[in-house]
Amino acid sequence: MSFSLSADSAREYLAQRGIQVQSARELGGGVSNTVIWVETVDSDPFILKQALPQLRVQDEWLAERSRIFRERDGLIDVARLLPAAGWAPEILWSDDENFLYAMEAVSPAVSWKERVLAGDLNPACARTAGQALGMTIAGSWQDPDFEARYGDQRPFDQLRTDPYYRTIARRHPAIAQQVYDWIAQIEPLRLALTHGDWSPKNMLVRGDGLVFIDYECIHFGDPSYDIAFCLNHLCLKGFHMPQHATALHDLARTFLAATLAAAPYEGLEARAACHLAFLMLARVDGKSPAEYLDEPTRNRVRQTALRLIEERPTTIERSLAYCIA
């Protein structure tokens, strides 16, 4: 690594670019990048983001640092598919040699995940998350230019398929063949731009809207994965906060309806239901377990996920019926 970004090193690095730093602090919550919030003397705050070669998890988890360039380009391209400026942060400049870029800072930077965990279950956020996803799917559906630019799925494999799906196959031999069969079924699909981490933690609340970030897993593939990824987070929080499970499941329904209204393509929901089962197990027994789940809750999630994998419901409504804690 030619240059390792930190709150301290950012000052000297930016000074060399003629930027006078007032303060710099590292933002937590991610495992695959170093993210620094920078306040300057004479301009708006911005974010520096640098890809890590080894992710910050207990297990070995390596990924090509060049994924940062795809994320940068993905933010620029997806912004063109969304209805208005401000749904994705603006890219300011990039430094390919050091695998980093600078982008607009969203202030105050409160994620939808934080709001949900605090009990703020606003359906408008779920609706906007679904609309943005559906518009991205529809705007890129079977587009050969996007396929040519984002068809390489290696970053997605390194950051999602292997640490999530192949890891649960290794840790649950009884379902390993089902996992590998599913990977073989979905890997060839080249349908639309797929974020790969469509999670409430990557949706920042700004006013009445959301700003969508963290496109490092972007690829041209099966966007039902994104549907399931967001639904999984809402279901997991229902296990974590059983007093809010009904409201969280309603958020899941709102999100799904908004997505499919914008992208009414056959097969998306059925594949999302299958992805949901494997993703649910991956967030307790994969390489990146959900940090807010205690062990009894993890076990309830694990048993639910194994039932879903075995019984394979083809609708999200049926999947939600299994998730009553």
Side-chain angles (χ1 to χ4, degrees), residues 40-296:
T40 68
V41 173
D42 53 6
S43 63
D44 292 333
F46 61 88
I47 298 292
L48 281 181
K49 186 170 186 178
Q50 183 182 54
L52 293 170
Q54 161 64 44
L55 278 65
R56 300 187 191 101
V57 294
Q58 183 174 351
D59 299 306
E60 182 180 64
W61 186 351
L62 305 175
E64 295 177 21
R65 300 181 74 204
S66 59
R67 66 187 186 274
I68 198 80
F69 309 141
R70 286 167 64 97
E71 177 177 14
R72 174 200 62 203
D73 295 343
L75 278 166
I76 294 169
D77 284 337
V78 168
R80 300 189 182 107
L81 302 178
L82 297 178
W87 286 42
E90 179 185 357
I91 300 297
L92 303 177
W93 46 266
S94 63
D95 177 354
D96 290 6
E97 180 182 356
N98 288 301
F99 300 97
L100 66 79
Y101 66 78
M103 67 178 174
E104 167 198 8
V106 179
S107 180
V110 178
S111 71
W112 186 29
K113 173 185 175 180
E114 293 173 84
R115 289 285 186 90
V116 169
L117 287 173
D120 181 358
L121 309 179
N122 184 353
C125 289
R127 190 173 301 110
T128 300
Q131 289 171 341
L133 177 56
M135 290 175 183
T136 301
I137 295 170
S140 61
W141 187 258
Q142 296 185 339
D143 185 300
D145 291 334
F146 282 126
E147 181 174 6
R149 295 172 64 186
Y150 297 98
D152 181 0
Q153 294 194 1
R154 282 177 296 177
F156 178 70
D157 188 273
Q158 293 170 351
L159 292 169
R160 289 293 173 265
T161 303
D162 188 72
Y164 281 40
Y165 285 4
R166 294 193 191 97
T167 297
I168 61 170
R170 290 190 290 270
R171 293 175 178 175
H172 290 272
I175 62 160
Q177 192 58 53
Q178 290 169 272
V179 177
Y180 291 129
D181 288 347
W182 179 242
I183 293 172
Q185 182 177 336
I186 55 97
E187 271 189 336
L189 296 180
R190 300 292 190 274
L191 299 173
L193 286 177
T194 304
H195 183 281
D197 198 4
W198 200 250
S199 160
K201 74 178 174 63
N202 292 328
M203 304 172 189
L204 304 180
V205 180
R206 177 157 64 181
D208 295 329
L210 295 174
V211 182
F212 302 95
I213 61 172
D214 282 6
Y215 280 77
E216 66 180 343
C217 297
I218 192 171
H219 63 286
F220 200 85
D222 175 20
S224 70
Y225 185 91
D226 284 346
I227 298 174
F229 208 87
C230 188
L231 290 171
N232 186 43
H233 279 270
L234 296 173
C235 289
L236 292 178
K237 288 164 182 62
F239 283 98
H240 175 61
M241 303 186 299
Q243 73 276 22
H244 294 306
T246 298
L248 283 158
H249 292 173
D250 285 343
L251 289 185
R253 295 181 181 97
T254 298
F255 163 77
L256 178 67
T259 304
L260 297 181
Y265 300 111
E266 184 178 356
L268 282 180
E269 181 177 359
R271 289 197 307 279
C274 194
H275 274 300
L276 177 60
F278 293 118
L279 286 170
M280 192 174 292
L281 186 60
R283 292 316 305 274
V284 292
D285 290 330
K287 287 189 177 181
S288 181
E291 79 287 353
Y292 53 85
L293 299 178
D294 60 25
E295 192 52 43

